[in-house]
Amino acid sequence: MPKTRVGSQSRRMRRLFFYALYQQIHLLWPIFSGLLVLMAGCGVVIGRIEDWRLDQALYFTFVTGLTIGYGDITPKHLMARLLALVIGFSGIVLTGLVAAVSVQALKATDPDQE
């Protein structure tokens, strides 16, 4: 297969992938943004309960939401811990949605599908 044809096919598949990715994100954007707002809101409330600075609260939110959990900042109050569970479960859902959207976009590039 000539090099120009391979490059052309590669560009076409990449274009199909990004187009399908855009369509999926456009469709699911209300869910993505709702989860992000929920997570950030819970993080700010935890920060207020634990008397953390805003940057610490948001750091904790995204470390917890991405299920990394370094443990350098931990909530001490029961209500803050319960809200941390909400952040953790929301992060799991968000990660699953990102994976599903990526898989759907990859399926759009499958040449056998046409």
Side-chain angles (χ1 to χ4, degrees):
M1 192 177 287
K3 188 170 181 121
T4 57
R5 187 165 182 212
V6 172
S8 173
Q9 185 176 5
S10 175
R11 280 192 300 273
R12 181 178 176 277
M13 290 179 70
R14 193 176 2 214
R15 198 174 313 125
L16 284 172
F17 171 77
F18 284 117
Y19 180 71
L21 184 67
Y22 172 77
Q23 284 182 319
Q24 292 291 317
I25 290 174
H26 188 268
L27 179 68
L28 295 174
W29 182 248
I31 297 171
F32 284 136
S33 60
L35 283 170
L36 289 171
V37 167
L38 173 70
M39 290 168 68
C42 286
V44 169
V45 171
I46 289 172
R48 300 282 291 184
I49 292 171
E50 297 293 330
D51 198 30
W52 293 340
R53 294 186 324 261
L54 181 61
D55 63 328
Q56 290 176 316
L58 292 177
Y59 167 78
F60 172 79
T61 298
F62 290 103
V63 165
T64 303
L66 293 171
T67 65
I68 298 169
Y70 292 124
D72 53 345
I73 301 176
T74 57
K76 306 291 185 250
H77 296 86
L78 177 64
M79 188 62 189
R81 289 180 178 189
L82 292 174
L83 288 172
L85 284 173
V86 171
I87 292 171
F89 286 128
S90 298
I92 291 169
V93 170
L94 187 66
T95 302
L97 281 173
V98 168
V101 164
S102 300
V103 167
Q104 284 298 105
L106 281 173
K107 283 172 118 177
T109 64
D110 185 14
D112 295 334
Q113 194 177 28
E114 295 172 353

